[in-house]
Amino acid sequence: MALVGLEELRAAQRRIAGVAVRTPLMPAPWAADGNRRLWLKPENLQPTGAFKIRGAYNRLAALSGPERARGVVAQSSGNHAQAVAYAAQLLGIKAVIVMPDTSPAVKVANTRSFGAEVVLVSPHERDTVPAELSERGGFVWVPPYDDPYIIAGQGTVGLEIGEDAPDELDTVLVPVSGGGLISGTAAALKLTTPGVRVIGVEPELAADAQESLRTGERAIWPVERTYRTIADGLRTPAVGELPFEHLQAYVDDIVTVTEEQIRSTVAVLARRGRLVAEPSGAVATAAYLHHAQELGGRVFAAVVSGGNLEPKLLSELLAA
């Protein structure tokens, strides 16, 4: 499979303009440590609360007329679900979203609020039911990460970081789940901002991507293993096939953070950064706060990938 190139990334940037927010690169002076500095890319400020709108809208906007008439089906634990539902609503396309029954209620409710039909299934069925619905109902399947349009759309995050970054930027930290965000972001940065390292971050309880990159073979973790982490958006059992090729080509390393580090970073981002980040969205910042010295960089950017979490959970994490 061909890697996403600069032409596809630029086309995605034009396609999503005016729909996805061009989020700022925000300084985080409260996180400075000696000569080490941090910038934040707050994708939690997107209309659907996460970066996923970039890839979802890029994919749906590129559908042909006959494909739009068929409607779309997608699977997601929440953020891709909301993004596809929102993009489909904007474009007048019917959307059916398959979500695991363990998804946060706020994500299910938000997805339905955009007019999508939600089908709740067990975590084991999340990735098989969409194919059945696509075959039975004729829907166009919109995967969450294993698609060049999705990767290109998410890669606009990297284009924006490259355009806005200070000259001293040397390290970009990106959450990893199925690999769409880090694939596109890494491709964009490596093709436009040579010399910048791209490091993925995932929970140590769902470290299939780290294992995959370091062994050179896609690791598949059972859902019983990945569902231990509080970071519900990063429980995907394996990176996609196309994202894995991008990881091998463009990603310098993948590191992990603990559950306690994720939890405490949600609170730090809220108190010090004034940003509401879900656990999945906090992992990149957690890597900086707890591992910056061993990562070896001086000027970091961390992607805060989303902010969709239950108010009760946020309250608990702030009170801890």
Side-chain angles (χ1 to χ4, degrees), residues 94-173:
K94 176 180 174 57
V96 177
I97 312 295
V98 176
M99 303 182 71
D101 53 20
T102 55
S103 298
V106 66
K107 293 184 177 181
V108 176
N110 289 346
T111 302
R112 286 180 170 142
S113 75
F114 294 126
E117 176 186 343
V118 174
V119 178
L120 295 176
V121 300
S122 72
H124 294 85
E125 297 175 297
R126 188 187 83 160
D127 293 329
T128 58
V129 171
E132 297 170 5
L133 291 174
S134 177
E135 183 175 346
R136 194 165 65 238
F139 300 107
V140 176
W141 191 356
V142 181
Y145 45 82
D146 213 343
D147 180 280
Y149 284 92
I150 297 291
I151 291 173
Q154 320 305 26
T156 60
V157 169
L159 291 179
E160 292 173 11
I161 291 174
E163 291 164 0
D164 297 345
D167 292 339
E168 303 85 5
L169 180 72
D170 55 42
T171 307
V172 176
L173 302 170

Side-chain angles (χ1 to χ4, degrees), residues 205-206 208 221-229 231 234-237:
L205 295 183
D208 57 282
W221 285 29
V223 294
E224 293 83 5
R225 196 174 179 188
T226 61
Y227 270 63
R228 297 173 299 165
T229 180
L234 306 182
R235 293 171 176 166
T236 302

